[in-house]
Amino acid sequence: TRAALTAPSAPGVLMEKLAVPDGAPTLPPATLRCLKEAFLVFDSDGSGSITSTELGAVLKHLGRDATEVELADMLSELYKAAGGSIDALSFAAFYAVVAPKLLVEAERNWRRTAAADADAEAFRSLGGDPSAAGAAGGIAVERLVEQLCALTGIARASAEDIFNESAVDGKVSFEAFQKVMAAAVEGG
């Protein structure tokens, strides 16, 4: 388990030795520290390298359960970066492959959060309460239909179809509103 794993003694000294490669993407300091700590847990001899078979364990320690395909892709990238030998992975090689993936994941999470925040703000501006459960904080279908028609020029019957489908007692909950917004974004 995560609690049972600890980095070798004097982790501060060892962490300083783990250099980020030149030209590699920059991770936030807290993320970099977590990456170094996870790496050090499996660098039991303090050499600054881990075996290729320990890559999955490091990722799992970071909270990422990589699939066999993801691990194979990472090992392939590491193999190419190391010039054909990956008996021991340096932190720099590990970082060069893992950091871009972490940044893509962070960007995806940020976009999801930003979209949810925008949905909540739009819902509030139309008189709804995103924190209320179900239809209690919902917006009347009629209000949503009026707004959608005014903003987009969509036919009233189409707007009614969109919202009546997800309404409960004539109101659209925040959860249903988010699903409609997500479908609208995905649909173009």
Side-chain angles (χ1 to χ4, degrees), residues 53-121:
T53 56
E54 292 171 329
L55 175 62
V58 172
L59 293 173
K60 188 170 187 149
H61 185 74
L62 288 168
R64 287 195 32 110
D65 284 325
T67 65
E68 291 296 322
V69 172
E70 288 174 316
L71 281 174
D73 287 347
M74 284 184 206
L75 286 170
S76 176
E77 288 179 52
L78 288 165
Y79 188 78
K80 289 176 191 169
S85 173
I86 52 171
D87 293 335
L89 301 173
S90 69
F91 179 77
F94 172 73
Y95 183 95
V97 171
V98 174
K101 293 176 186 339
L102 291 175
L103 288 172
V104 167
E105 190 174 290
E107 174 73 12
R108 195 175 308 128
N109 290 339
W110 178 84
R111 287 182 189 274
R112 236 182 265 127
T113 301
D117 290 349
D119 288 349
E121 185 59 35

Side-chain angles (χ1 to χ4, degrees), residues 39 42-44 49-60 89:
F39 190 87
F42 295 95
D43 178 18
S44 57
S49 64
I50 60 172
T51 66
S52 59
T53 56
E54 292 171 329
L55 175 62
V58 172
L59 293 173
K60 188 170 187 149
L89 301 173

